[in-house]
Amino acid sequence: MRSSPAASSSLTGEILVVDDTPANLTLLRQMLSARGYSVQVCRTGELAIKSATLMQPDLILLDIKMPELDGYSVCRWLKTHPETAEIPVIFISVLETTEEKVAAFQVGGADYVTKPFQAEEVIARVEHQLLVRRQKAQLELEIHERQSTEARLKKSRSLLASVLNSTLDSVSALQAIRNDEGLILDFEWLLANAVAANAAHTNSDAIIGQRLLDLMPEYGIIGLFDDLVRVVETGKILNREICYESDTLCGWFQAIAIKLDDGVTLTFRDITARKQMELALKASNVELQQQANLDGLTQVANRRRFDDYLSETWAYCLKHKRPLSLILGDVDRFKNFNDTYGHQTGDVCLQKVAQTLRGLVQYPDDLVARYGGEEFAIILPQTEAAGAIRVARRLLDAIRQIILYPEGGAEPTSVTISLGVSSLTPISSINPAALIEAADRALYRAKSEGRDRACWQLVRALD
């Protein structure tokens, strides 16, 4: 139906009037135009058909008695052609017999007005037919829109089901079940993809309406049910990693729950492979870190690890007012040994010294490190001077037991070491360098006094 924007809210429109009497055409045009209608007129049945096909009027007023092609024939033609079939036709005629009126309705007429007609009656019948047509058009539009919406919804549901079933994640929508006091007792499934239904030992159709704890009681055991309740009550998103085991699932899963009205959407994502990779990477990093802290030749801590550990231990002993001791050792006459027997034998010598030191220093917090060249350092946390000196004496005895067998048939030779010991309880006015400086001075004195001995030195503040 064609109408202007202004006409869409009132009963106006285009009307075609067909009558072979000019006076009737003039009268009808005037009364309809006065009511705001756009009126076109014609005097024959043939012109009526052409005009109706071209202009597609909102309504036709059609005279029955016309030469050549009468109103019945015109109406019959209009109703058999799709482009004009829905146009309402009101017959106008001087005939008032029942037979004539019945014939008018049989060919598709919507109403009937007799001549001479009254303006009020014509206007009332026209407005009624236009109102009916507009209501019918509105109903058809609503039906079409509803059908389109239903088709889109069906397509969306089908697409949603395809998407949900194409993912390897477990996806569910759950509605809270509350008691009379409003407390959440359980959840029921509104939706579940194939993965979620399979985990509950059912299928996507049968799971709808089922209770969560009836099918998955383990949710209560691992605390996931309480997590879902908190999501509903607080609106906060749940993102939790769970080590989960059941008859059908085993591994690490990431549980993500988001509030949805008075329920939640719950997604389980299998992260077992990621967890395994993380654990492997962590183990690899630990191994790399250990390698980074070891001296390549002797496999005891290297100088970097010594510096870091001394700083950490100093801070701990300072905070807790605990004693700390340090032993610096230097293999006696190592340069001469190296020059005489070769670097390969020298490396074996350092390896045996390191193994011996590490074997005797057995407390978990103690550290043996290669300090540089043929020098070694031993950090003894929570050890006073007397304890450190006893350790040093045991080390001297153990190192003397090392016997090396140089290549080339040279005589077996023993190894000795000189040790410098220093001890203190750290205070804020002294730094770790003072402990190293004292041990170094004690080591120098041990060398000066004949080697193969341990000397102790008091720690003093550095200038």
Side-chain angles (χ1 to χ4, degrees):
M1 185 187 309
R2 298 181 299 170
S3 60
S4 66
S8 62
S9 61
S10 61
L11 293 176
T12 59
E14 293 187 352
I15 299 176
L16 175 64
V17 180
V18 185
D19 199 310
D20 62 342
T21 304
N24 289 338
L25 293 177
T26 301
L27 178 60
L28 289 169
R29 172 183 276 176
Q30 289 176 347
M31 70 171 64
L32 293 170
S33 297
R35 297 300 295 263
Y37 295 107
S38 174
V39 182
Q40 300 293 325
V41 299
C42 60
R43 296 177 59 182
T44 68
E46 291 83 356
L47 287 176
I49 291 173
K50 291 180 180 179
S51 297
T53 303
L54 290 173
M55 67 181 288
Q56 297 286 297
D58 298 296
L59 182 140
I60 298 174
L61 286 171
L62 179 62
D63 188 18
I64 293 178
K65 295 298 183 179
M66 292 185 296
E68 297 181 4
L69 195 64
D70 63 16
Y72 295 138
S73 299
V74 172
C75 186
R76 190 178 294 111
W77 190 97
L78 293 174
K79 295 303 176 181
T80 57
H81 289 75
E83 63 270 25
T84 55
E86 297 301 320
I87 302 174
V89 175
I90 299 177
F91 282 106
I92 52 178
S93 177
V94 294
L95 303 174
E96 294 188 80
T97 65
T98 300
E99 292 78 3
E100 294 289 341
K101 292 181 179 179
V102 169
F105 289 115
Q106 286 177 340
V107 297
D111 207 344
Y112 194 99
V113 180
T114 58
K115 300 177 185 179
F117 37 72
Q118 300 295 320
E120 291 78 5
E121 181 185 4
V122 173
I123 294 300
R125 293 181 183 276
V126 166
E127 290 182 347
H128 174 70
Q129 290 301 323
L130 290 176
L131 177 60
V132 169
R133 190 180 185 194
R134 284 190 170 91
Q135 290 175 338
K136 182 180 179 182
Q138 180 64 32
L139 180 60
E140 290 175 348
L141 178 61
E142 291 175 357
I143 292 173
H144 176 72
E145 290 178 346
R146 184 172 66 252
Q147 290 173 340
S148 299
T149 301
E150 290 174 351
R152 289 194 300 270
L153 181 58
K154 183 178 180 181
K155 184 177 180 180
S156 297
R157 286 174 176 169
S158 176
L159 179 61
L160 176 60
S162 298
V163 170
L164 291 179
N165 289 324
S166 66
T167 179
L168 298 178
D169 297 339
S170 165
V171 182
S172 302
L174 302 165
Q175 177 75 25
I177 299 175
R178 298 178 181 270
N179 62 13
D180 294 339
E181 287 75 34
L183 299 177
I184 297 177
L185 302 178
D186 205 338
F187 290 89
E188 67 173 322
W189 265 284
L190 301 178
L191 174 148
N193 70 350
V195 178
N198 183 63
H201 308 287
T202 183
N203 59 63
S204 298
D205 294 327
I207 201 172
I208 305 304
Q210 297 287 334
R211 289 196 170 201
L212 176 67
L213 294 180
D214 287 346
L215 296 184
M216 309 289 284
E218 57 268 32
Y219 278 28
I221 298 173
I222 64 177
L224 186 56
F225 173 78
D226 293 335
D227 289 338
L228 298 181
V229 171
R230 278 191 290 272
V231 171
V232 176
E233 293 178 343
T234 67
K236 294 182 179 180
I237 295 175
L238 169 69
N239 191 341
R240 173 184 169 189
E241 293 184 353
I242 301 171
C243 184
Y244 182 83
E245 293 186 17
S246 70
D247 294 340
T248 56
L249 292 174
C250 180
W252 278 93
F253 296 88
Q254 181 181 23
I256 301 172
I258 301 174
K259 180 178 172 62
L260 178 66
D261 193 18
D262 193 34
V264 296
T265 59
L266 176 61
T267 301
F268 266 100
R269 182 164 298 151
D270 190 341
I271 57 171
T272 303
R274 193 194 80 192
K275 276 293 185 181
Q276 291 173 342
M277 185 178 297
E278 288 177 355
L279 291 174
L281 183 60
K282 183 177 180 180
S284 176
N285 288 338
V286 170
E287 184 177 354
L288 289 174
Q289 184 64 36
Q290 290 174 343
Q291 291 297 323
N293 288 329
L294 291 179
D295 175 66
L297 175 65
T298 63
Q299 293 300 295
V300 296
N302 58 21
R303 176 62 181 270
R304 181 176 67 181
R305 177 57 182 154
F306 167 82
D307 291 338
D308 292 341
Y309 191 69
L310 179 60
S311 178
E312 295 168 9
T313 307
W314 181 278
Y316 175 85
C317 292
L318 175 64
K319 178 179 179 181
H320 297 282
K321 298 181 173 57
R322 306 299 296 170
L324 174 63
S325 295
L326 173 66
I327 300 175
L328 290 182
D330 185 90
V331 179
D332 293 331
R333 299 183 176 87
F334 182 76
K335 184 178 183 306
N336 182 60
F337 183 91
N338 228 14
D339 293 341
T340 302
Y341 300 111
H343 293 289
Q344 185 172 354
T345 304
D347 289 344
V348 173
C349 174
L350 295 177
Q351 290 170 345
K352 287 186 175 294
V353 169
Q355 292 168 7
T356 301
L357 297 177
R358 187 171 57 185
L360 287 174
V361 179
Q362 297 178 343
Y363 285 103
D365 291 339
D366 296 343
L367 179 76
V368 176
R370 187 180 181 188
Y371 194 70
E374 66 273 19
E375 292 183 309
F376 293 88
I378 303 167
I379 299 174
L380 304 171
Q382 304 190 63
T383 304
E384 297 178 342
I389 292 172
R390 286 195 296 271
V391 171
R393 288 172 178 168
R394 290 200 302 270
L395 294 177
L396 289 172
D397 291 339
I399 297 298
R400 293 187 189 111
Q401 305 306 313
I402 298 174
I403 303 297
L404 297 176
Y405 298 88
E407 295 182 358
E411 291 293 326
T413 182
S414 60
V415 180
T416 61
I417 193 170
S418 297
L419 302 175
V421 184
S422 60
S423 304
L424 85 166
T425 298
I427 56 176
S428 57
S429 60
I430 299 178
N431 60 41
L435 183 65
I436 297 173
E437 192 273 341
D440 190 58
R441 285 192 288 117
L443 174 60
Y444 180 80
R445 196 166 75 251
K447 290 283 188 181
S448 301
E449 292 178 1
R451 302 181 179 85
D452 188 23
R453 67 193 62 209
C455 292
W456 181 86
Q457 177 66 46
L458 177 68
V459 178
R460 64 185 183 186
L462 298 176
D463 296 332

